Amino acid sequence: MKEKVVFIYLLVLILAGCTYAPLPKQNGNEGTEKKLTKEETKESDKIFLLIGVDTRGEQKSRSDAIILAKYFPEQEKLKLASIMRDSYVKIPGNKSGYNKINAAYYYGGRELLKKTIQENFDVKVDHVAVIDFQGFVKMVDLLAPEGVAVNVDQEIIDDMSIQASVGKNVLHGEEILKYVRFRHDDESDFGRVERQQEVMVQLKTAFISRISSFEGMAALPSIIEQGLSYLDTDIGLKTIMEMGPKAVFHTPDTVETLRVPVEGSFKDEIYPQSGAVLEMDCTENKKALQEFFSK
């Protein structure tokens, strides 16, 4: 049986919910920007947890995509850190002590996953959004109705039954889901995480292009409202609606990504209660995440 895999991206949340940023230049004062207020600085310092799940109708599910996001308004930069689902961590309150990090969501939902991240990496999560397979498909088509351009090789086409040819293809929701689910090559989950992050950046670009016109601006409230219907998030519609227009003027120029565990900081192990895991150097990876989100 294929392992459950999913990719999450809440672009609306990242752009609208993380972008408390300086106002655009005005009145011909080149190089002059409004400084962030204390409230804006506080909001811009928040970290968002994006969780991808595949419920398939079950009562419980594991989180198969775990992504931390933070926006840096002064640098107009967005940072995304993907935590590999097989990362072997200590799960608070779990009788076995250690397990794969994706088991935390199964045992205790978003709250336990937040607590697990904080206790293992010393990263405090401020807001959470959860999406499943069907929500992801709809979100992709909402944010990028013209499709997403990706390079597809024969292994992906054969394994995932993607209707595409070898090379660059423009794919839509269902096919993009297959593209980011693929993991049956030499790169395994590592390649899958790279494809997740690749599609994130493409969705960001497509969405910004869409809302940059007058028609796009006019449609922004309905896009946000529709996007939120595909998600389970602790950020209210009113809050995002209020922040949404700021995204048009303060979209991130740069997207930086990180994968945890970082290169050279882990080894493959097998444990009876968990199966195959990535046993990592917790100190090294905690430091990597701390440094990544500190500047």
Side-chain angles (χ1 to χ4, degrees):
M1 181 180 73
K2 291 185 178 180
E3 294 186 41
K4 295 186 292 182
V5 195
V6 73
F7 160 68
I8 176 170
Y9 190 45
L10 173 51
L11 188 61
V12 173
L13 179 60
I14 290 176
L15 293 178
C18 301
T19 51
Y20 277 103
L23 294 175
K25 299 172 185 177
Q26 302 179 45
N27 302 322
N29 296 323
E30 294 296 331
T32 301
E33 293 184 336
K34 172 183 174 290
K35 291 184 178 180
L36 276 76
T37 65
K38 289 182 179 180
E39 180 182 356
E40 289 171 333
T41 301
K42 183 179 179 182
E43 284 295 324
S44 66
D45 199 45
K46 290 185 175 180
I47 291 180
F48 290 71
L49 171 61
L50 313 177
I51 307 171
V53 298
D54 174 17
T55 59
R56 298 188 189 276
E58 298 96 339
Q59 289 285 326
K60 291 185 176 182
S61 61
R62 294 176 185 264
S63 52
D64 291 314
I66 304 167
I67 300 168
L68 296 169
K70 183 178 179 180
Y71 182 69
F72 293 76
E74 295 289 2
Q75 299 98 332
E76 296 185 343
K77 177 169 60 179
L78 176 67
K79 289 194 172 186
L80 303 170
S82 298
I83 302 177
M84 302 285 287
R85 64 177 188 167
D86 290 343
S87 299
Y88 197 57
V89 298
K90 186 175 183 178
I91 299 180
N94 183 256
K95 61 181 180 181
S96 61
Y98 283 77
N99 208 326
K100 296 180 182 181
I101 194 169
N102 70 344
Y105 188 82
Y106 180 85
Y107 292 131
R110 66 176 69 185
E111 291 304 317
L112 183 56
L113 181 54
K114 284 170 57 177
K115 190 174 182 181
T116 299
I117 291 171
Q118 183 163 351
E119 293 199 8
N120 284 271
F121 302 105
D122 199 21
V123 172
K124 180 181 179 296
V125 172
D126 298 286
H127 292 296
V128 183
V130 183
I131 196 170
D132 62 14
F133 275 165
Q134 291 306 311
F136 169 73
V137 169
K138 293 176 181 177
M139 186 69 80
V140 169
D141 289 335
L142 173 66
L143 301 179
E146 301 301 317
V148 179
V150 294
N151 281 306
V152 184
D153 61 32
Q154 194 63 52
E155 281 185 293
I156 297 178
I157 292 172
D158 293 341
D159 188 78
M160 302 304 293
S161 299
I162 291 179
Q163 299 300 311
S165 55
V166 175
K168 181 162 284 189
N169 292 260
V170 175
L171 305 180
H172 296 270
E174 289 284 356
E175 300 301 297
I176 285 294
L177 175 62
K178 294 177 182 179
Y179 177 76
V180 298
R181 286 181 62 200
F182 176 73
R183 63 187 297 273
H184 297 141
D185 60 5
D186 293 339
E187 295 183 339
S188 188
D189 276 339
F190 296 93
R192 187 191 62 157
V193 166
E194 289 182 6
R195 284 186 289 277
Q196 291 175 0
Q197 294 179 339
E198 170 200 0
V199 171
M200 285 184 182
V201 175
Q202 292 242 37
L203 286 174
K204 176 191 78 73
T205 302
F207 181 66
I208 292 171
S209 176
R210 182 178 180 187
I211 64 175
S212 294
S213 65
F214 176 79
E215 293 79 6
M217 276 287 292
L220 183 59
S222 64
I223 293 174
I224 293 175
E225 186 170 9
Q226 186 177 347
L228 285 175
S229 70
Y230 306 142
L231 302 153
D232 179 10
T233 179
D234 57 7
I235 299 184
L237 175 60
K238 181 176 181 292
T239 300
I240 293 184
M241 285 296 194
E242 289 173 350
M243 294 186 289
K246 296 184 180 183
V248 179
F249 300 106
H250 307 300
T251 50
D253 288 336
T254 305
V255 178
E256 295 183 8
T257 60
L258 178 74
R259 187 198 69 218
V260 174
V262 296
E263 192 70 31
S265 71
F266 65 93
K267 58 183 178 179
D268 296 321
E269 290 288 354
I270 297 178
Y271 290 100
Q273 78 277 13
S274 306
V277 304
L278 300 175
E279 187 169 63
M280 60 184 174
D281 184 323
C282 291
T283 301
E284 184 175 348
N285 282 281
K286 180 190 293 186
K287 180 181 178 182
L289 262 180
Q290 293 290 316
E291 292 180 349
F292 184 67
F293 282 129
S294 66
K295 55 185 178 179

